[in-house]
Amino acid sequence: MSLTGQNFIEGTLSGQGTKTFLAINPSNGKELSTSFYEATQQEINEAVEKANEAFSIYSKKSGKEKAEFLDAIADEILNLGDTLIERCCAESGLPEGRITGERGRTMNQLKLFANVLREGSWVDARIDTAIPDRQPVPKPDIRSMQKPLGVVGVFGASNFPLAFSVAGGDTASALASGCPIIVKAHPSHPGTCELIANAINKAVEKTNMPKGVFSMVHGKSVAVGMGIVQHPLVKAIGFTGSYKGGKAIFDAANNRPEPIPVYAEMGSTNPVFILPNALRERGEEIAQGLTGSVTLGVGQFCTNPGLVFLNDDASVTGFQEKVSQNFKAVEANTMLNSGVKSAFDSGIKNLSNKNQIELLAQGKESNEGFKGSAHVFKTSAKYFLTEDSLEEEVFGPSTITITADSKDELLASAKKMKGHLTATLFATDEDLKSYMDLIQILEQKVGRLIINNFPTGVEVCHSMVHGGPFPATTNSRSTSVGTGAITRFTRPMCYQNFPQNLLSDELKDNNPLGIFRIVNGEIKK
């Protein structure tokens, strides 16, 4: 399949602009073929307007119809075959096995949402029937359910060119909710984005969806993304990326005449607490696991463990020595793009220049392409308590071990922390009994609390929460992974004294869809 470099507006190719850019192979720094057209404001406006027109049709599609659409997208992605894998590897520098696995994850999350739509109970239907003879005033018939918001803007991420991109989790959940989408393709992998956009358009045609339900625009400039955020017909934004980018989008959305919700996942240092008994009993095993978790995917995961807290005792030095030994053996590997590599190098330099931080070990180096070298540092909890910058994400293969003189100092460090996606405890049963207060503190700091596992795996399932308090995200009450993500793009709608023929099937007395509902306070089917 040949690439065109054009934008997708309501299923039609469009290249009205004069600015173009090329993708770069991060493995060698060379430009890849095909110039991509940066979208004009006119193209963005057209895409949003067509999406808004499609909303009146798509939002009324049944759960079964939307499920067939999501399944068709997954099927069409698979039909792209090796063409997708090869281009994605070339644009991301990620190995074939990783991209093949990510393709499967992308397809599976589409199919997971399809299953949720077929079952149907996700709409949270609630029915309170009328009591006309209630005294002193009659009770009206009141019913409510979740309804889609409208047009959603989705920003593709750099570190997951499939699973958090054009057909990723934000797209799957927005389409499942009944919302048309405008995707801002990530400029690091525009060819991959075009291939996926083609797959979605084929699914649109195959399942007879309105063409405006999906559009995709290219652009390296901030203006393209802001053109989506600031358009008055866009009703919500999904974003995965840096704090700087996410906060700018959040601020712009809230400065609109009509503010809109922004679900931005912006990064995290994901603290790990290795408690005393676990360190003594399994220090070497944990050191090996930490090395693998920090360097997985060249550290380019939003759940990368960037802070490791320890209570000072005789086992700490041996643990740090083992971690250092492991890090020194790690090969330098390709990072996603020059910007990511530059930001990583800057973060490492900033840490290295702090007098109270010591470099424990550095992995192997390479000047080929955009390769990053693993780093592990150490400092004290006393310094952590005075230096706010240590909590800032260094996106890449690095971590800081932080030693506390006492349990109180460890708890103080936890209390000081801002919001993160995850926190991990390595602990024995005895440790957990002794550190229940730490668990209670961390519940207020993160979206996912983990015991005796590293955080870098994010399971796509019904109960997953991939979110957390600010600045990890802009809305701690949501998740960007798992089926709970669907309600980010809906709102509750109430119907009072409506006749049966005007109600959605989800709210009718005879429950034609057979879903679970709350009827007069009882869960029924």
Side-chain angles (χ1 to χ4, degrees), residues 294-295 298-301 304 335 340 344 373 393-399:
V294 172
T295 61
V298 206
Q300 298 166 123
F301 286 78
N304 182 44
M335 303 193 78
V340 169
F344 174 68
S373 177
E393 181 182 41
V394 178
F395 190 67
S398 73
T399 195

Side-chain angles (χ1 to χ4, degrees), residues 82 100 177 227 345:
D82 292 342
T100 301
S177 75
D345 289 343

Side-chain angles (χ1 to χ4, degrees), residues 260-273:
I260 57 172
V262 172
Y263 297 97
E265 190 262 281
M266 301 183 293
S268 172
T269 45
N270 306 295
V272 174
F273 293 81

Side-chain angles (χ1 to χ4, degrees), residues 255-520:
N255 285 328
R256 290 175 26 153
E258 178 198 355
I260 57 172
V262 172
Y263 297 97
E265 190 262 281
M266 301 183 293
S268 172
T269 45
N270 306 295
V272 174
F273 293 81
I274 306 175
L275 301 184
N277 290 319
L279 183 63
R280 284 191 288 270
E281 294 180 14
R282 295 183 283 125
E284 185 168 336
E285 174 191 334
I286 296 170
Q288 187 66 42
L290 177 65
T291 306
S293 185
V294 172
T295 61
L296 181 68
V298 206
Q300 298 166 123
F301 286 78
C302 45
T303 51
N304 182 44
L307 301 172
V308 181
F309 289 90
L310 306 154
N311 257 347
D312 193 18
D313 68 15
S315 302
V316 169
T317 299
F319 173 79
Q320 291 176 328
E321 289 175 350
K322 183 61 180 175
V323 171
S324 298
Q325 179 184 337
N326 293 340
F327 266 68
K328 289 176 182 177
V330 175
E331 298 285 345
N333 281 297
T334 301
M335 303 193 78
L336 293 161
N337 56 53
S338 60
V340 169
K341 174 64 164 61
S342 176
F344 174 68
D345 289 343
S346 177
I348 293 298
K349 183 179 180 180
N350 288 339
L351 291 175
S352 300
N353 287 339
K354 296 183 186 299
N355 292 332
Q356 296 190 54
I357 294 181
E358 178 185 339
L359 176 65
L360 280 176
Q362 179 178 345
K364 297 178 181 180
E365 296 184 87
S366 173
N367 294 322
E368 182 183 355
F370 308 136
K371 290 195 173 182
S373 177
H375 289 69
V376 57
F377 299 88
K378 76 171 184 178
T379 192
S380 67
K382 282 184 173 60
Y383 185 56
F384 176 82
L385 288 168
T386 63
E387 182 55 59
D388 291 343
S389 67
L390 297 192
E391 217 174 333
E392 296 175 4
E393 181 182 41
V394 178
F395 190 67
S398 73
T399 195
I400 309 171
T401 62
I402 300 170
T403 305
D405 289 338
S406 64
K407 178 183 176 182
D408 286 344
E409 198 169 68
L410 194 74
L411 295 177
S413 298
K415 289 177 181 178
K416 175 185 182 289
M417 289 192 308
K418 299 176 183 177
H420 294 270
L421 296 173
T422 73
T424 298
L425 286 79
F426 281 91
T428 64
D429 289 344
E430 187 62 35
D431 286 327
L432 293 174
K433 291 177 183 177
S434 301
Y435 283 82
M436 282 301 299
D437 40 4
L438 175 60
I439 293 175
Q440 292 168 359
I441 293 168
L442 294 177
E443 283 179 331
Q444 301 301 310
K445 302 292 185 178
V446 303
R448 179 163 57 111
L449 192 51
I450 304 159
I451 293 178
N452 292 329
N453 281 129
F454 284 100
T456 31
V458 183
E459 184 73 20
V460 180
C461 61
H462 301 289
S463 51
M464 175 54 66
V465 175
H466 190 60
F470 186 86
T473 75
T474 52
N475 192 321
S476 65
R477 295 170 296 172
S478 67
T479 176
S480 63
V481 176
T483 56
I486 193 171
T487 55
R488 294 178 299 167
F489 306 119
T490 64
R491 64 184 180 89
M493 182 66 198
C494 183
Y495 303 89
Q496 185 165 327
N497 287 343
F498 263 56
Q500 289 290 306
N501 65 304
L502 291 183
L503 289 169
S504 300
D505 285 348
E506 291 89 345
L507 296 177
K508 289 178 178 176
D509 284 345
N510 63 347
N511 194 11
L513 301 179
I515 63 173
F516 286 100
R517 311 186 298 183
I518 298 177
V519 181
N520 294 323

Side-chain angles (χ1 to χ4, degrees), residues 233-244:
L233 294 178
V234 172
K235 299 302 181 183
I237 297 291
F239 171 88
T240 299
S242 68
Y243 172 80
K244 179 180 178 182

Side-chain angles (χ1 to χ4, degrees), residues 31-336:
E31 294 178 338
L32 295 169
S33 61
T34 306
S35 294
F36 292 87
Y37 290 85
E38 183 153 321
T40 65
Q41 188 61 51
Q42 181 179 339
E43 288 172 310
I44 295 168
N45 291 345
E46 184 180 356
V48 175
E49 289 162 8
K50 295 297 184 182
N52 190 57
E53 291 173 12
F55 178 65
S56 62
I57 301 171
Y58 185 65
S59 62
K60 295 180 177 65
K61 294 287 185 180
S62 68
K64 180 181 178 182
E65 289 172 311
K66 288 182 290 184
E68 289 173 350
F69 178 36
L70 296 185
D71 279 341
I73 295 173
D75 293 342
E76 292 298 335
I77 290 173
L78 184 61
N79 289 341
L80 291 170
D82 292 342
T83 300
L84 175 65
I85 303 298
E86 291 166 3
R87 180 73 189 195
C88 195
C89 289
E91 290 184 327
S92 67
L94 297 171
E96 180 180 342
R98 154 69 191 274
I99 294 302
T100 301
E102 190 177 328
R103 178 180 63 182
R105 175 191 173 108
T106 304
M107 293 166 56
N108 289 340
Q109 65 188 356
L110 286 162
K111 290 181 176 293
L112 181 64
F113 277 104
N115 289 338
V116 167
L117 293 174
R118 288 191 180 93
E119 195 280 327
S121 300
W122 74 272
V123 299
D124 190 24
R126 296 167 181 252
I127 298 172
D128 286 277
T129 55
I131 307 176
D133 56 352
R134 187 184 67 175
Q135 296 298 326
V137 294
K139 178 186 175 184
D141 184 278
I142 300 175
R143 305 175 186 227
S144 68
M145 63 179 287
Q146 294 292 321
K147 301 289 281 188
L149 286 175
V151 180
V152 173
V154 172
F155 285 72
S158 64
N159 59 336
F160 282 87
L162 298 177
F164 277 85
S165 189
V166 178
D170 288 341
T171 291
S173 53
L175 291 177
S177 75
C179 295
I181 60 168
I182 314 296
V183 175
K184 163 63 172 62
H186 198 283
S188 287
H189 39 83
T192 302
C193 292
E194 180 173 332
L195 291 170
I196 297 294
N198 266 309
I200 295 176
N201 277 332
K202 286 184 178 180
V204 168
E205 294 174 4
K206 182 188 293 185
T207 58
N208 196 32
M209 292 296 154
K211 291 184 177 180
V213 74
F214 170 78
S215 289
M216 184 191 78
V217 295
H218 290 291
K220 295 190 75 171
S221 71
V222 172
V224 174
M226 285 302 176
I228 298 172
V229 174
Q230 294 172 337
H231 197 290
L233 294 178
V234 172
K235 299 302 181 183
I237 297 291
F239 171 88
T240 299
S242 68
Y243 172 80
K244 179 180 178 182
K247 185 62 163 55
I249 290 170
F250 177 79
D251 290 343
N254 281 280
N255 285 328
R256 290 175 26 153
E258 178 198 355
I260 57 172
V262 172
Y263 297 97
E265 190 262 281
M266 301 183 293
S268 172
T269 45
N270 306 295
V272 174
F273 293 81
I274 306 175
L275 301 184
N277 290 319
L279 183 63
R280 284 191 288 270
E281 294 180 14
R282 295 183 283 125
E284 185 168 336
E285 174 191 334
I286 296 170
Q288 187 66 42
L290 177 65
T291 306
S293 185
V294 172
T295 61
L296 181 68
V298 206
Q300 298 166 123
F301 286 78
C302 45
T303 51
N304 182 44
L307 301 172
V308 181
F309 289 90
L310 306 154
N311 257 347
D312 193 18
D313 68 15
S315 302
V316 169
T317 299
F319 173 79
Q320 291 176 328
E321 289 175 350
K322 183 61 180 175
V323 171
S324 298
Q325 179 184 337
N326 293 340
F327 266 68
K328 289 176 182 177
V330 175
E331 298 285 345
N333 281 297
T334 301
M335 303 193 78
L336 293 161

